[in-house]
Amino acid sequence: MVTTTVTLFTPPPPTKATLSSFPLPKTHYTSSSSCSSTSRKFRVRAYSNTSKFGNFLHLKPAHQPEPLDFDLPWCHPSDRSHFDVIIIGSGPAGTRLAEQVSRYGIKVCCVDPDPLSMWPNNYGVWVDEFESIDLEDCLDKTWPMACVYINERKTKYLDRRYGRVSRKKLKQKLIEGCVSNGVKFHKGKVWQIQHQEFESTVLCDDGTELRGSLIIDASGFASTFVEYDKARNHGFQIAHGILAEVDDHPFDLDKMVLMDWRDSHMGNEPYLRANNSKFPTFLYAMPFSSNLIFLEETSLVSRPVLSYMEVKKRMVARLRHLGIKVNKILEDEKCLIPMGGPLPRIPQNVMAIGGTSGIVHPSTGYMVARTMAVAPCVATAIAECLGSTRMIRGKQLYAKIWNSMWPIESKLNRQFYSFGMETLLKLDLNGSRRFFDAFFDLKPYYWQGFLSSRLNLKELAWLSISLFGHASNRSRFDIVTKCPAPLAKMMGNIALEYIG
């Protein structure tokens, strides 16, 4: 019998990778060696300006998220029991899957360094996404509509409700489901996985060994338990966000700001403006009251990743221009999200869900709603294998579970979404504005379906045709001149998926 071993230090499982937990790729440093002396003077002026007018970067978060107060059923080392499923990580993906799989009476153990810790990032979703999976009670704030500022003269209003996920409510609900269904928890870090033909052994940092028929990695982007057979040429979304108490802000309380592409705040800072024109960022905002707001400066996608300090400096300039004085930061978050790139090798001994599974939307960076929706499908497939009297295990089990997450149609659709990402990578600020101006002119069925990963391949093709029809002449020129290479790549990948 052949035994294979995978060894790794596994960090606490983020759903969005923090800068400290994900190895930084190459970075767009906006000060190039070819800068003129005039440009360098502008750069120095831009640095000094951030310290004079409303700079909030020195402020520290006033609160740290408190862990849940819950009595978990722990798996004791003396038990030496065998589980059907061992899930590494108790972020949203891991906890949701544990709650769903355990409904079938399957023995589940969830391993995490701190299972009750609160998830660090804010999550926003379209309300209908959570309604469709009966999780709307886990939203703590909703807005009847969203808006997109294309530029200083044009604003798009989106008639679709948006909500912020209450991390405490969602985690409480999922943990309660896990406990009532008999899920066991182990507090520790996974260091090593040893695979045999029909079972695997998980070795933890405290010396505990857990055996299971199926190992599922839900520990986030930084994990290398899941193997790839292609280069991981991700695009990267990077953002800096704060939940802040402010004197006032200019946003309507009945609308969340999905994207604000305006750049008038950079009028006095030519250095920042020039770089933003090439590698644009936008503001994402959720206003809770006139004095409480979540603000996040975001680079939608770049390759290499945009400098994190650059993102923060742009945010300082934007808030200063908008007249937003930050008095207190209640929470802050630093997000780095790999987008697109290849899927993991399918199938393989370790199943994945969440960030490391390729489920992040390649064109938007959204993941939470889709993860919540796909977990029941994966759980059903697991139950058909491990909950039946015939006990399908080994290679048959791995193939069936991986294919439940990535059936052929989902793989093909993802190629299209990755084509969208590759196109966005080639657009500067004005190109991005023109693109989203046309995109949100589409019928709601299409733009909503695209953002929520609900369209099939035929519908995605019709979306492309319609988008070209709605685009301005300049935007059509962008599409014609900048999309052939990504389009050829997509068609080649789709052909390979069919052949495979």
Side-chain angles (χ1 to χ4, degrees):
M1 185 179 297
V2 178
T3 300
T4 58
T5 302
V6 180
T7 306
L8 177 74
F9 169 79
T10 305
T15 300
K16 286 184 176 180
T18 61
L19 293 179
S20 60
S21 67
F22 192 85
L24 280 175
K26 290 183 179 179
T27 302
H28 275 306
Y29 288 105
T30 53
S31 54
S32 69
S33 58
S34 61
C35 274
S36 66
S37 60
T38 303
S39 296
R40 285 192 289 271
K41 290 177 183 176
F42 283 139
R43 183 175 76 238
V44 172
R45 193 175 304 150
Y47 278 64
S48 62
N49 281 349
T50 60
S51 66
K52 292 195 289 187
F53 302 101
N55 188 348
F56 57 86
L57 298 181
H58 66 285
L59 298 176
K60 302 298 181 183
H63 306 292
Q64 294 296 326
E66 295 184 358
L68 287 182
D69 183 12
F70 211 93
D71 187 16
L72 291 180
W74 300 103
C75 173
H76 297 287
S78 58
D79 293 344
R80 300 190 63 82
S81 53
H82 182 282
F83 294 93
D84 298 315
V85 177
I86 298 173
I87 299 176
I88 304 170
S90 64
T95 311
R96 171 70 165 173
L97 187 58
E99 180 255 346
Q100 289 292 311
V101 172
S102 59
R103 290 185 177 192
Y104 295 93
I106 291 172
K107 291 182 64 177
V108 179
C109 180
C110 193
V111 183
D112 188 273
D114 192 358
L116 293 175
S117 64
M118 193 51 59
W119 304 321
N121 297 105
N122 282 272
Y123 305 119
V125 297
W126 300 104
V127 173
D128 55 81
E129 293 177 327
F130 260 38
E131 286 179 337
S132 66
I133 51 177
D134 297 323
L135 290 176
E136 67 271 20
D137 58 335
C138 295
L139 303 176
D140 60 9
K141 172 67 177 177
T142 61
W143 293 265
M145 63 191 311
C147 65
V148 175
Y149 292 95
I150 301 297
N151 54 39
E152 279 71 18
R153 300 175 302 281
K154 181 178 285 188
T155 305
K156 301 280 187 181
Y157 296 99
L158 311 179
D159 188 17
R160 190 183 188 190
R161 292 189 298 153
Y162 198 85
R164 186 183 79 155
V165 178
S166 167
R167 291 162 287 174
K168 183 174 183 179
K169 288 181 181 179
L170 180 58
K171 182 151 191 171
Q172 184 89 23
K173 183 171 185 172
L174 298 181
I175 289 290
E176 286 176 355
C178 287
V179 172
S180 65
N181 296 336
V183 175
K184 297 286 188 179
F185 290 83
H186 180 71
K187 191 171 185 177
K189 295 178 181 178
V190 174
W191 284 81
Q192 188 179 93
I193 303 175
Q194 295 177 343
H195 297 295
Q196 291 81 41
E197 186 175 2
F198 294 118
E199 72 171 21
S200 300
T201 302
V202 169
L203 307 178
C204 300
D205 59 346
D206 60 357
T208 300
E209 296 186 10
L210 302 170
R211 294 179 296 117
S213 298
L214 178 65
I215 310 300
I216 300 176
D217 185 0
S219 62
F221 299 111
S223 172
T224 58
F225 286 134
V226 175
E227 298 175 356
Y228 291 76
D229 52 16
K230 296 179 182 177
R232 299 176 68 177
N233 60 329
H234 298 292
F236 292 90
Q237 183 173 119
I238 189 168
H240 177 67
I242 58 173
L243 177 64
E245 291 182 359
V246 299
D247 282 345
D248 197 8
H249 62 77
F251 301 113
D252 294 336
L253 297 182
D254 64 344
K255 302 177 187 67
M256 71 80 55
V257 180
L258 188 67
M259 293 175 168
D260 183 351
W261 291 103
R262 295 176 292 183
D263 67 342
S264 54
H265 57 288
M266 297 182 181
N268 294 324
E269 304 193 48
Y271 169 75
L272 288 179
R273 189 165 201 161
N275 288 299
N276 186 67
S277 296
K278 297 176 184 176
F279 310 110
T281 57
F282 63 88
L283 181 71
Y284 169 99
M286 295 188 286
F288 299 97
S289 71
S290 59
N291 305 113
L292 180 65
I293 186 168
F294 178 78
L295 301 156
E296 189 166 67
E297 190 76 18
T298 303
S299 165
L300 179 58
V301 62
S302 62
R303 185 194 293 137
V305 66
L306 190 64
S307 161
Y308 182 55
M309 181 54 68
E310 176 80 5
V311 173
K312 293 199 290 185
K313 288 189 293 181
R314 292 183 191 182
M315 187 175 185
V316 169
R318 188 189 297 273
L319 298 194
R320 183 176 64 244
H321 178 79
L322 292 173
I324 300 176
K325 182 179 183 299
V326 176
N327 296 320
K328 180 187 291 187
I329 293 178
L330 303 181
E331 299 177 3
D332 68 358
E333 58 183 62
K334 307 169 181 65
C335 301
L336 176 63
I337 307 174
M339 294 161 59
L343 288 174
R345 179 169 52 81
I346 297 176
Q348 58 181 287
N349 293 3
V350 176
M351 177 61 193
I353 193 168
T356 195
S357 70
I359 204 170
V360 174
H361 195 303
S363 297
T364 68
Y366 279 83
M367 177 178 67
V368 170
R370 178 132 187 260
T371 301
M372 296 297 108
V374 78
C377 302
V378 176
T380 299
I382 292 173
E384 290 174 353
C385 294
L386 299 181
S388 64
T389 54
R390 49 184 178 158
M391 283 291 289
I392 299 173
R393 295 187 297 169
K395 291 182 179 180
Q396 282 185 289
L397 169 65
Y398 308 142
K400 188 173 182 64
I401 305 309
W402 271 105
N403 289 331
S404 70
M405 172 169 281
W406 289 112
I408 183 63
E409 184 174 4
S410 294
K411 291 180 183 177
L412 298 179
N413 292 349
R414 187 178 183 276
Q415 292 294 342
F416 192 97
Y417 295 129
S418 295
F419 164 63
M421 182 197 77
E422 295 293 337
T423 300
L424 291 170
L425 280 168
K426 295 180 178 296
L427 300 180
D428 58 13
L429 174 60
N430 288 327
S432 298
R433 286 168 166 173
R434 289 190 292 266
F435 177 87
F436 287 106
D437 188 17
F439 180 81
F440 287 113
D441 271 348
L442 297 175
K443 291 181 179 178
Y445 178 84
Y446 286 105
W447 70 256
Q448 292 181 16
F450 184 89
L451 295 182
S452 297
S453 303
R454 291 198 297 240
L455 302 181
N456 60 39
L457 199 60
K458 181 179 178 180
E459 290 170 331
L460 288 169
W462 278 112
L463 179 147
S464 297
I465 295 170
S466 182
L467 183 62
F468 192 82
H470 281 83
S472 65
N473 289 334
R474 185 65 185 273
S475 189
R476 289 173 184 167
F477 179 78
D478 285 341
I479 293 171
V480 169
T481 57
K482 297 178 180 178
C483 292
L487 179 61
K489 180 179 179 181
M490 178 188 72
M491 298 305 294
N493 287 338
I494 286 177
L496 289 174
E497 292 290 357
Y498 270 120
I499 294 171

